[in-house]
Amino acid sequence: MTAGALGSGRLCPQLIIDSPSRAPGHRTTLVGRDLEILTLSAQLGREEHRLITLTGPGGVGKSRLACAAVGDVPIARVAYLDLHDTVGGDGLAETLASRLPDEPSLLVLDGFEQAADATADAVDTLLGRFPRLRVLTAGRRPLGLYGERLFPVPPLPTPNPPYRQDVLELQDNAAVELFVDRARAIDPSFALTAQNAQAVAEICTRMDGLPLAIELVAEKLRLFRVDSLLTRLREGRPVLGGDHAARSPRHRSVRSITEHSFRLLDEEQRALLTRLAVFTGSMNLTTVEEFWELPTPRTEQVVEALVGRHLLRVTPGGGEPRFTLFNTVREFCLERLTATGALPEARRRHAEHFLALALRAEERLTGPQQAQWFQRLAPLHEDLLAALTHLEASGRRTDAARAALALHRFWMVRGHLALGEQWLAKASNAFLAAPGHQASAARAEAARGQFAVVRGDPRLAADCFRHAARGFHDAGDAVHERAALARLAVCQQPAGPSAVRKAAVRLLHAAVDERATVEAAYAALALATGSRLIDAKLAADLMEAANGLFMRVRDVRGEGLVLALRGALADSRGDQALAERLLWESLHRLRAVGEHTMLPTVLEGHALHVWRRLPHQGHRVARLLAAAAALREATGAHPLLVPGDAAVALREVRRLLSGPEYEAARREGRVLSADAAAGEALSVGPPAPEPVSTVSRPVQLTARQYEVAMLVSQGLTNRQISQQLRLSEWTVVNHVRQVMRRLDVPSRIHVAQWVLNRQRRNGVGTAVE
């Protein structure tokens, strides 16, 4: 029951004062707000809390929460007044004062935004005149009065992507629970199952956890299945239109709520909010400034106003603040852009902005800024995909292909394998159809072949590398032609030893070419993986060549993969302590760049060594193995890098742990993010290296080898060493390999450590042992 109302600019004469038990009722259950109801009721029951304001975005359920909490407040009289349709509100204080009783009472004012000034004046007057009065208001923003206590009403919590939780875990999530409850009102047989749980979780997340939006999207189950509904959301097609049978006409659609807030903005705020609707992900202040060419102070003012009215929200996370439109607001603004004919231009500017960003990122994804750029692109991924889609749909297929090729390394590292392969296939076709882009077509085919390898499709990979090698040959690019042929030799089934050795020799000569890039390094690493059982010396030479190239450009991910493969070789020799240390260092590097594709394999290898060394860590090992399996499922990656039998270890862990303990560990592991899983693995430090015996035979290095080791310890590259010693770079490469073999160390870093330790023992000098 509404106790009173204000018409459009005029006050209704009645204000009914009644008991809390007769609060306005609702025909549906209030889901997921138990804690908020208890907290708000407790605050309302305290005499010193005389003014409390519920704030939050439209559709979050402020009115429902207010009514539910008031019912538990031990107070004699409650007055309800709905101000949603009020414009002006003159005389509000006098009207209320004439009807409020001179006894403890609570006044609930809902939706005061359009009469904010009048409401603030009236509340200030009433609190001064009635010392036993308490006021509860609900709106998008505070009244701004002295003594006002804010009670933010957040959206319902939503599941965390990539939604690997079990059905039992998901059904306890408040947003999912609300969706299921409303879905059953439409279809009583609806149930959350293993087949639809992930789709429901993603739908709730895309609805930002807003209860009204979740209810509206559940209404669409009359027309669409859950998977079809999710597809429409992913494609950015409107799904929230229509009315909802709520208690109040103004809450029957999300559009009416958003339009109500939109009218309260000034022209500049409306213009900016509308244009930002083409962003599908998050943005920072710099992006807004660059995109719409606003001065910094004004950008901050407008964004702050939009955040204050809950039309933009601050995305949680460290670093600089990022902002996201609520999907309900985005739909409304896209409708306005479409109606005014401004949507094509807004999408064009959006696509141009992210095309330039992708091209700028390409060369930085392999250099010293690698980790920072992977981190920068991650929250922009949805916008980058939207830009590619728009470029392709508008006929700019070559530009879309350039962007896809620029992003292929990001997709590989972050585990977007199926997506990357699809876009690279389109890119290859687009380049072949455009004159003068044959070299780019070869690069796209080579990148697509790498995706096919990781996804476990050697036949497709071989076709891609064969086309790439032919394209590089026609373009006169011998280095990348040999890299493609090396990858082809590994992919062909069965891979003959003579073909592998022949490809390896050619690649090793190409690796010392100054034009060699990380593509040659990754080809050398793949060939080393394929040849380690054929020729251990050749595999070691290939690993050193790959590592040299990775270190030259400071590719952290590449160095991590070299360490992982060296760990595999150490394990095959029976040196488990060294293998575990190498895998630990590999994880450290892979975590730094946010690796997802190769991480599960390295994670499993590390977990196996932890299990062998620390069998009492069974619970942790079970979590790590479950995390690795879940990450592999999410990416679809099946690389063969670190040998090991995770299934055997898993059976042993299950045998030692009780059923409930193992299931708990498995559930905990499956919801770990890649970063959290790597962090937990790294928390178990590697075994300490065995102390060097003082009576052991000293390492024998030649004078030239020691000279090279000294220069390596100074951080010089092979090329710089060759220039200083006036040797060929290939000769320096051989010297470095011989030094590492004689010292029995896996990397240049260990060579530098050996030199430093020797100098500390004997003093700085150049004498040869």
Side-chain angles (χ1 to χ4, degrees):
M1 176 185 69
T2 300
L6 291 173
S8 180
R10 296 184 303 171
L11 286 169
C12 290
Q14 296 89 11
L15 177 67
I16 304 173
I17 306 296
D18 215 328
S19 63
S21 61
R22 297 183 62 189
H26 298 273
R27 299 180 183 179
T28 56
T29 55
L30 183 59
V31 175
R33 295 299 189 191
D34 294 344
L35 180 59
E36 286 90 342
I37 292 173
L38 290 173
T39 305
L40 181 57
S41 298
Q43 291 193 15
L44 289 171
R46 300 180 64 176
E47 294 182 1
E48 64 271 23
H49 294 174
R50 299 194 60 202
L51 174 58
I52 299 175
T53 297
L54 305 180
T55 61
V60 79
K62 297 183 294 294
S63 303
R64 293 288 306 272
L65 177 59
C67 293
V70 165
D72 295 332
V73 177
I75 198 167
R77 293 288 183 265
V78 177
Y80 293 90
L81 196 57
D82 194 328
L83 302 173
H84 279 95
D85 297 328
T86 299
V87 179
D90 294 337
L92 177 60
E94 290 74 15
T95 302
L96 291 172
S98 64
R99 290 167 172 79
L100 287 173
D102 189 15
E103 62 178 316
S105 56
L106 173 64
L107 175 62
V108 181
L109 301 176
D110 190 13
F112 57 80
E113 286 89 348
Q114 295 193 117
D117 293 339
T119 303
D121 291 341
V123 170
D124 196 29
T125 300
L126 293 172
L127 289 175
R129 190 179 302 180
F130 296 92
R132 293 193 289 180
L133 174 67
R134 296 173 222 174
V135 179
L136 174 64
T137 64
R140 293 284 184 94
R141 59 190 180 94
L143 286 173
L145 296 177
Y146 180 75
E148 180 181 26
R149 289 181 173 271
L150 301 184
F151 192 99
V153 183
L156 295 175
T158 56
N160 294 321
Y163 315 114
R164 293 192 293 265
Q165 300 90 337
D166 292 338
V167 173
L168 292 176
E169 294 176 274
L170 286 174
Q171 71 183 11
D172 289 335
N173 177 267
V176 173
E177 182 184 356
L178 177 62
F179 182 94
V180 173
D181 181 79
R182 300 307 187 255
R184 285 175 178 164
I186 298 167
D187 178 7
S189 66
F190 183 87
L192 195 69
T193 65
Q195 289 70 40
N196 65 17
Q198 289 189 348
V200 170
E202 185 174 343
I203 288 172
C204 292
T205 301
R206 288 180 175 271
M207 291 299 99
D208 306 304
L210 293 175
L212 182 58
I214 293 173
E215 291 180 347
L216 285 172
V217 79
E219 289 274 338
K220 294 300 178 181
L221 292 177
R222 300 179 191 275
L223 302 176
F224 308 105
R225 296 187 314 175
V226 172
D227 54 350
S228 301
L229 197 56
L230 178 58
T231 299
R232 293 177 67 88
L233 287 171
R234 286 174 173 172
E235 294 173 352
R237 299 161 67 183
V239 296
L240 296 180
D243 290 341
H244 173 66
R247 69 174 179 88
S248 169
R250 65 191 62 83
H251 287 102
R252 285 180 183 167
S253 73
V254 171
R255 192 184 191 286
S256 63
I257 294 177
T258 307
E259 187 173 17
H260 174 81
S261 298
F262 194 78
R263 289 197 301 265
L264 303 177
L265 304 177
D266 62 32
E267 288 302 321
E268 188 175 35
Q269 292 167 350
R270 292 179 186 178
L272 179 62
L273 182 67
T274 303
R275 293 168 184 167
L276 291 180
V278 294
F279 282 83
T280 58
S282 63
M283 66 206 85
N284 58 16
L285 288 172
T286 302
T287 302
V288 177
E289 291 171 21
E290 294 174 351
F291 199 64
W292 297 116
E293 300 174 354
L294 289 174
T296 301
R298 188 56 188 153
T299 301
E300 294 177 357
Q301 292 173 4
V302 175
V303 169
E304 185 178 5
L306 296 176
V307 170
R309 295 181 182 275
H310 297 280
L311 295 169
L312 277 180
R313 62 173 175 174
V314 181
T315 304
E320 63 177 337
R322 303 194 64 86
F323 308 95
T324 310
L325 266 74
F326 286 99
N327 283 300
T328 52
V329 177
R330 181 180 291 109
E331 273 201 19
F332 173 82
C333 293
L334 287 174
E335 288 179 10
R336 290 185 62 86
L337 283 174
T338 303
T340 59
L343 184 58
E345 174 61 16
R347 290 208 183 279
R348 185 196 66 78
R349 292 191 63 181
H350 178 273
E352 290 285 353
H353 177 84
F354 284 99
L355 169 62
L357 177 66
L359 297 178
R360 191 162 71 251
E362 182 174 18
E363 64 180 16
R364 292 169 174 83
L365 293 178
T366 57
Q369 296 177 308
Q370 183 183 54
Q372 294 92 318
W373 275 84
F374 281 128
Q375 185 177 6
R376 179 176 180 181
L377 293 181
L380 304 175
H381 188 216
E382 288 193 25
D383 281 297
L384 288 163
L385 290 180
L388 263 67
T389 302
H390 178 78
L391 290 170
E392 184 183 43
S394 58
R396 299 173 59 182
R397 297 179 63 223
T398 304
D399 284 337
R402 291 167 62 211
L405 186 56
L407 292 171
H408 85 272
R409 202 173 307 282
F410 171 79
W411 287 331
M412 173 65 76
V413 172
R414 289 305 173 104
H416 304 294
L417 302 181
L419 178 74
E421 187 182 313
Q422 292 167 9
W423 275 107
L424 288 169
K426 294 179 182 179
S428 178
N429 293 331
F431 284 135
L432 288 173
H437 287 82
Q438 282 69 27
S440 296
R443 288 182 58 210
E445 281 294 316
R448 186 185 176 204
Q450 295 175 33
F451 279 81
V453 167
V454 176
R455 297 187 70 202
D457 191 344
R459 181 174 298 180
L460 174 61
D463 289 341
C464 292
F465 290 129
R466 192 176 292 111
H467 293 315
R470 190 178 301 121
F472 286 129
H473 177 79
D474 294 341
D477 189 342
V479 172
H480 287 95
E481 178 189 2
R482 291 177 179 179
L485 289 173
R487 303 298 295 261
L488 177 62
V490 178
C491 293
Q492 288 177 328
Q493 299 294 332
S498 60
V500 170
R501 288 193 179 96
K502 183 178 179 181
V505 171
R506 289 179 174 177
L507 185 60
L508 286 172
H509 284 289
V512 298
D513 192 301
E514 62 181 9
R515 295 169 297 174
T517 65
V518 292
E519 304 304 337
Y522 278 110
L525 189 60
L527 203 53
T529 305
S531 64
R532 69 180 187 273
L533 300 179
I534 299 173
D535 189 331
K537 180 181 179 302
L538 186 62
D541 290 344
L542 288 164
M543 278 192 293
E544 176 57 30
N547 198 51
L549 287 172
F550 287 136
M551 293 186 70
R552 189 176 75 187
V553 299
R554 296 169 63 183
D555 189 300
V556 176
R557 177 181 186 258
E559 292 177 10
L561 296 183
V562 170
L563 286 167
L565 184 53
R566 282 181 171 150
L569 293 176
D571 194 35
S572 65
R573 298 195 304 265
D575 193 344
Q576 295 184 5
L578 176 60
E580 187 176 352
R581 287 197 298 271
L582 291 170
L583 288 174
W584 189 90
E585 292 185 14
S586 172
L587 276 175
H588 183 73
R589 286 163 174 76
L590 297 182
R591 185 192 189 193
V593 297
E595 230 287 345
H596 285 61
T597 299
M598 302 301 297
L599 182 69
T601 303
V602 181
L603 198 62
E604 282 183 346
H606 180 72
L608 289 175
H609 284 286
V610 172
W611 172 246
R612 293 167 185 165
R613 181 166 61 95
L614 305 169
H616 63 279
Q617 293 278 348
H619 196 279
R620 185 192 301 273
V621 171
R623 278 202 306 274
L624 293 177
L625 292 176
L631 287 169
R632 185 174 287 111
E633 291 171 14
T635 61
H638 299 281
L640 295 176
L641 182 64
V642 182
D645 195 347
V648 172
L650 198 58
R651 285 197 297 270
E652 293 180 0
V653 170
R654 293 189 68 171
R655 180 173 56 82
L656 291 181
L657 297 178
S658 67
E661 284 180 320
Y662 171 76
E663 284 301 321
R666 189 187 68 84
R667 286 196 298 270
E668 292 168 6
R670 287 189 61 83
V671 298
L672 288 176
S673 65
D675 181 74
E680 175 154 354
L682 290 170
S683 67
V684 182
E690 295 181 2
V692 179
S693 174
T694 56
V695 298
S696 62
R697 184 175 59 85
V699 175
Q700 297 294 326
L701 294 183
T702 66
R704 177 65 79 187
Q705 289 170 350
Y706 188 81
E707 192 173 18
V708 170
M710 287 285 294
L711 295 175
V712 167
S713 71
Q714 296 171 20
L716 272 64
T717 65
N718 290 339
R719 180 172 303 172
Q720 292 169 330
I721 296 173
S722 68
Q723 292 171 350
Q724 185 160 332
L725 299 181
R726 296 184 179 181
L727 301 172
S728 71
E729 190 170 349
W730 183 248
T731 300
V732 172
V733 169
N734 281 325
H735 278 312
V736 173
R737 289 175 186 158
Q738 290 297 326
V739 168
M740 292 171 60
R741 286 175 186 166
R742 293 197 177 196
L743 299 180
D744 193 23
V745 295
S747 71
R748 298 167 74 97
I749 297 174
H750 294 83
V751 172
Q753 277 182 330
W754 179 85
V755 173
L756 180 61
N757 291 335
R758 183 180 181 281
Q759 290 176 342
R760 285 174 177 169
R761 288 197 312 268
N762 305 328
V764 178
T766 58
V768 182
E769 292 183 316

